[in-house]
């Protein structure tokens, strides 16, 4: 699906930006790069900045006009840094991504078009776009580096694509959680912990049963929101058991000089 | 509010990446840059790539250690490219942004930490982070350019910030939070707690300094994600102090029959 979304760079001055764009694309799973009349390409600087995404550069299609780069596209989105006199439907990068994904899901092809480093896209080029995309930068310093702008848009495309895949990132998290022994404790286990904790705090003289104040409820709030795993619970219970032994003089404390914890 | 979110670059090799990061930050309205032991800074290349964000570079704070760069922070998020053996709470860039914004709304300070170009952050550095952030790149080509990674995270921060500007109800939350004395602890306070905890665990015989295994890193993970307030920290420190007294035979434990905690 990502294969049907291409990146089009118009009249790029710095080959380093072409390389940076290629790397950003490959990082996010995109591969089709079109270069409209680049000033310096191919270039060693582009390859250096691509940093392993040379295959994207090697497969890049160099054309003379924007029209050629848009061949076969059903949706064209052009980045626009400034407000233009001619009003146009304007999307933010997230809306750009969801609109693009919806288009390729329907069998269409999408072009994300980026203009020149200093001048952006011309009004004529912008009028070839179905939508304009504006990255919501600080108006006082609004112009992003070209490769950085590509990074933002292709990142949003990947986020939208992952969401469309039944959220595989969340799946991995679940699997990882199961594998890493982070199964959460039950309410009963947590209650047993609070009992053990309260008992221990009384034994070490920190909690006065006659004047409990809000101590246990504060500790419940803290541990309750931490989402403790079974493994962690074993550790916490172990600490309490050893604390009790020490308080009862049953343990054999290590003889090391105390650290000043003030 | 964005002023309370800093970007920390650890041991950066290429000054161009420092400049690119500064530009990305200024584009998105962030200004506080910390450089931990950069290889080459200040540098003409950094200024060239900053492309007008020289004020961010000029104000950058250069320090020797990550610890210094985190001074005053209550929430630390570290970018992580790879799966680690020790699992850690993992956020995507969007979750990273909403978590960061929520923290500064509560009066906290946030650090977004980025590692070395080729090696990322060390395990020790990653353990200083409350959360790890992973940019969901293609696993087959997963490593983003450093400035591009900064761009993605600060872009998401700006998107979250813009969204928060349209929600006046957030104001009430801030007031409520302030009233409930839930001001978050700083990294320094948390580190002092971990020191105190480790010392205490050794004293009660639960932690063998010769065989520490993963105990402290597991406890860091637990307390790190709990988002401890200053009030709660006072309680936790108090418990440790009383535990030490009990272990040293200095306290007067209450004589009550032990409860079976099995």
């Amino acid at each position: 699906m990502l294969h049907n979304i291409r990146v089009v760079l118009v009249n790029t001055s710095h080959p380093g930006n072409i390389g940076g764009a290629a790397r950003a694309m490959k990082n996010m799973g995109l591969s089709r790069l079109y270069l409209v009349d680049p000033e310096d390409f191919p270039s060693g600087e582009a390859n250096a900045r691509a940093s392993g995404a040379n295959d994207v550069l090697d497969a890049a299609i160099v054309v003379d006009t924007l029209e050629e780069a848009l061949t076969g596209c059903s949706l064209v989105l052009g980045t626009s840094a400034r407000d233009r006199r001619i009003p146009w439907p304007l999307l933010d990068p997230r809306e750009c991504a969801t609109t693009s994904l919806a288009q390729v899901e329907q069998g269409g092809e999408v072009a994300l078009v980026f203009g020149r480093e200093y001048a952006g896209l011309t009004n004529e080029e912008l009028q070839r776009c179905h939508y304009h995309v504006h990255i919501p930068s600080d108006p006082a310093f609004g112009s992003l580096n070209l490769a950085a702008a590509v990074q933002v848009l292709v990142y949003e495309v990947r986020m939208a694509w992952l969401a469309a895949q039944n959220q595989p990132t969340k799946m991995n998290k679940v699997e990882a959680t199961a594998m890493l022994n982070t199964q959460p404790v039950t309410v009963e286990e947590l209650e047993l912990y609070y009992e053990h904790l309260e008992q221990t705090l009384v034994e070490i003289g920190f909690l006065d049963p006659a004047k409990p104040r809000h101590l246990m409820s504060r500790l419940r709030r803290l541990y309750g929101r931490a989402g403790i795993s079974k493994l962690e619970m074993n550790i916490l219970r172990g600490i309490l058991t050893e604390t009790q032994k020490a308080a009862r003089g049953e343990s054999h404390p290590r003889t090391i000089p105390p650290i000043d914890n003030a």
Side-chain angles (χ1 to χ4, degrees), chain A:
Chain A
M1 215 155 69
L2 293 177
H3 185 71
N4 291 326
I5 300 177
R6 68 185 69 171
V7 168
V8 179
L9 305 184
V10 178
N11 221 193
T12 309
S13 300
H14 299 301
N17 284 332
I18 297 176
R23 179 174 180 180
M25 289 171 62
K26 190 169 179 180
N27 280 146
M28 297 295 133
L30 274 70
S31 57
R32 292 174 65 199
L33 177 61
Y34 285 70
L35 303 172
V36 179
D37 191 24
E39 275 194 23
D40 182 7
F41 186 85
S43 140
E45 204 182 329
N47 281 300
R49 280 280 294 279
S51 192
N54 299 313
D55 52 340
V56 174
L57 291 180
D58 292 345
I61 295 174
V62 181
V63 293
D64 289 326
T65 65
L66 176 58
E67 198 176 0
E68 292 169 83
L70 302 180
T71 306
C73 287
S74 51
L75 177 66
V76 181
L77 302 122
T79 51
S80 170
R82 290 162 287 173
D83 288 349
R84 304 275 168 175
R85 247 168 281 175
I86 301 173
W88 217 259
L90 191 67
L91 305 178
D92 71 24
R94 199 159 298 163
E95 294 165 332
C96 164
T98 52
T99 306
S100 298
L101 261 288
Q103 186 72 16
V104 294
E105 275 171 8
Q106 288 171 25
E109 293 219 14
V110 175
L112 307 177
V113 185
F114 299 81
R116 297 150 194 85
E117 280 93 338
Y118 303 107
L121 294 168
T122 65
N123 280 337
E124 196 193 333
E125 288 160 350
L126 280 166
Q127 290 188 15
R128 287 190 172 270
C129 301
H130 298 93
Y131 293 94
H132 294 169
V133 184
H134 178 64
I135 298 173
S137 51
D138 188 337
F141 189 70
S143 177
L144 274 73
N145 164 262
L146 174 57
V150 172
Q151 179 68 68
V152 168
L153 260 59
V154 297
Y155 157 76
E156 283 284 12
V157 164
R158 187 168 185 84
M159 288 291 274
W161 178 73
L162 288 169
Q165 306 294 299
N166 293 328
Q167 307 195 341
T169 48
K170 298 287 177 192
M171 296 285 279
N172 289 337
K173 237 186 228 174
V174 173
E175 286 164 28
T177 303
M179 282 172 57
L180 295 165
N181 192 10
T182 57
Q183 203 188 341
V185 291
T186 63
V187 172
E188 302 93 295
E189 288 165 330
L190 208 52
E191 285 303 319
L192 286 172
Y193 172 66
Y194 293 138
E195 273 177 32
H196 195 173
L197 178 62
E198 185 169 7
Q199 169 75 22
T200 306
L201 293 181
V202 170
E203 287 189 38
I204 65 171
F206 188 73
L207 174 60
D208 180 355
K211 291 183 207 158
R213 305 175 78 173
H214 298 303
L215 184 61
M216 284 312 299
S217 77
R218 285 186 167 131
L219 288 167
R220 279 172 174 270
R221 186 153 48 109
L222 193 172
Y223 288 104
R225 72 169 183 265
I228 294 169
S229 72
K230 286 185 189 293
L231 175 72
E232 289 167 342
M233 183 50 78
N234 286 340
I235 294 172
L236 293 175
R237 292 292 292 267
I239 292 173
L240 292 182
T241 300
E242 290 305 315
T243 300
Q244 288 178 308
K245 282 189 199 166
R248 295 170 191 166
E250 294 166 13
S251 69
H252 305 282
R254 292 167 199 283
T255 50
I256 54 168
I259 292 171
D260 180 13
N261 290 295

